[in-house]
Amino acid sequence: MQTDILVSEVGPRDGLQSIKTVMPTEAKKAWIAAEAAAGVREIEVGSFVPAKLLPQLADTAEIVAFAKTIPGLTVAVLVPNLKGAEAALAAGADKITLPLSVSESHSRANLRRSHDQVIEEAQAIAAAIRALPVERRPHFEGSLSTVFGCTIEGAIPLRQILALAERLMAAGCDEVGLSDTTGYADPKAVREMVTAVRGVVGDKALTGIHLHNTRGLGLANVLAALEMGLDMVDSSLGGIGGCPFAPGASGNIVTEDLVFMLQAMDLRTGIDLKKLLKVRKVLAEALPGEPLYGFTPDAGLPLGFVPEQSTRKLETA
Ligand code: ZN
């Protein structure tokens, strides 16, 4: 098993988009700065969608500009289409993710686009990226969402998923990602999906996964993904977002619990866990009344646990 795991924080995008409260821009900046200072190396800071649809993320361009000033941080954003990607390129995002729901009904319901239309957007985005000088080109990921099943169609035929993975790569994505939008995954399904998708795109073009804890299997699924050799895992501070259904169960995987598991297993994350646990305060203050999830923050670290120290030197506290 590899010893370096990239924890990609998605709370400022995935978390905030499913919370009605609009977090003030200054609070978002404080959150991102504090997490980066704790050693988090990649943060999905927002989504370039019309403010009318998601007023919570209307300040994404300003947030990207701020996050870009933090040394060593990969600033990731989600885009639904070429228009969003153009805004992301103008803002200077380091990484752009275009979701493609492998369920066509879900794709039409969520993005109002057929598979063919999303692939066309991917081609147009890739062309816009190629038009930039090499040093300004962001990493472009096509994320296969509802890949472990969809609430409208149930299980999606594997051949359809694999064809879409191939089409995203052919359209010009650098990489595809797997996203368990509905929280249907289990460790066996993760192993099989990683094997199947890597079979068509190659090992290097699938390194990351976005899992949910909807049915309590989030970290079990992470472990399966790590054992398959993936080394990039999405999670959300305080487990916010990702459509939590059951009381006590987060939607997104909780960053604090994920980092605890990784460090307990002697895997390096570059994150100072004690510092990370303190970042929750920023969230609690900016989102009053919003439930924050996670077991490690409540239970504390085990006696004798030696947390990994952050290797990054940042002046922000
Ligand atoms: Zn999510």
Side-chain angles (χ1 to χ4, degrees):
M1 195 184 281
Q2 67 289 340
T3 51
D4 267 308
I5 307 299
L6 180 69
V7 174
S8 180
E9 169 66 48
V10 298
R13 194 277 303 172
D14 191 347
L16 293 183
Q17 78 171 37
S18 50
I19 288 175
K20 276 215 182 98
T21 313
V22 178
M23 185 185 273
T25 304
E26 290 313 308
K28 289 187 188 180
K29 290 180 182 175
W31 174 10
I32 290 163
E35 250 194 270
V40 174
R41 287 176 288 150
E42 180 174 303
I43 304 182
E44 195 172 70
V45 300
S47 179
F48 283 101
V49 286
K52 211 170 50 184
L53 292 179
L54 279 179
Q56 301 96 314
L57 305 180
D59 57 0
T60 294
E62 185 180 344
I63 296 295
V64 170
F66 168 77
K68 290 278 292 176
T69 65
I70 301 173
L73 181 69
T74 299
V75 182
V77 293
L78 198 88
V79 302
N81 51 34
L82 175 63
K83 201 169 168 228
E86 283 169 345
L89 295 178
D94 300 312
K95 181 177 171 182
I96 291 179
T97 299
L98 172 77
L100 185 160
S101 182
V102 298
S103 152
E104 190 140 33
S105 340
H106 185 267
S107 182
R108 287 184 192 278
N110 254 35
L111 291 170
R112 294 194 202 91
R113 277 189 173 78
S114 68
H115 284 156
D116 287 349
Q117 287 171 312
V118 180
I119 295 293
E120 278 169 29
E121 297 286 342
Q123 287 165 339
I125 293 168
I129 291 172
R130 278 196 307 271
L132 292 173
V134 179
E135 68 279 4
R136 283 184 44 213
R137 290 179 195 165
H139 192 72
F140 180 29
E141 181 191 292
S143 174
L144 298 161
S145 57
T146 67
V147 77
F148 295 100
C150 157
T151 49
I152 309 168
E153 291 188 32
I156 307 299
L158 184 61
R159 61 177 183 284
Q160 181 172 322
I161 295 170
L162 299 183
L164 289 169
E166 282 186 298
R167 289 181 73 191
L168 278 173
M169 292 304 292
C173 287
D174 297 309
E175 174 164 4
V176 295
L178 303 179
S179 185
D180 183 19
T181 318
T182 51
Y184 282 13
D186 63 78
K188 179 169 172 277
V190 169
R191 284 187 210 109
E192 290 172 355
M193 190 60 67
V194 171
T195 304
V197 174
R198 280 188 154 178
V200 295
V201 302
D203 289 4
K204 282 189 186 140
L206 172 61
T207 64
I209 194 159
H210 181 102
L211 293 159
H212 282 184
N213 194 39
T214 318
R215 291 170 179 80
L217 301 190
L219 289 181
N221 293 338
V222 168
L223 185 58
L226 298 179
E227 285 173 349
M228 294 305 296
L230 299 201
D231 59 7
M232 185 168 64
V233 183
D234 286 358
S235 63
S236 170
L237 196 80
I240 62 167
C243 309
F245 297 108
S250 63
N252 283 311
I253 289 178
V254 178
T255 305
E256 300 90 316
D257 290 343
L258 171 66
V259 172
F260 171 66
M261 180 180 88
L262 296 173
Q263 295 191 358
M265 295 170 65
D266 289 332
L267 293 168
R268 287 182 301 167
T269 61
I271 295 170
D272 182 327
L273 183 51
K274 284 184 179 167
K275 259 191 181 177
L276 181 75
L277 289 168
K278 288 187 187 141
V279 184
R280 274 169 84 92
K281 235 182 116 219
V282 180
L283 271 194
E285 282 168 8
L287 298 170
E290 206 56 56
L292 296 183
Y293 303 94
F295 294 98
T296 310
D298 288 342
L301 297 173
L303 182 64
F305 181 79
V306 184
E308 175 190 12
Q309 296 302 306
S310 173
T311 49
R312 298 184 60 208
K313 290 190 185 74
L314 287 174
E315 48 275 55
T316 28

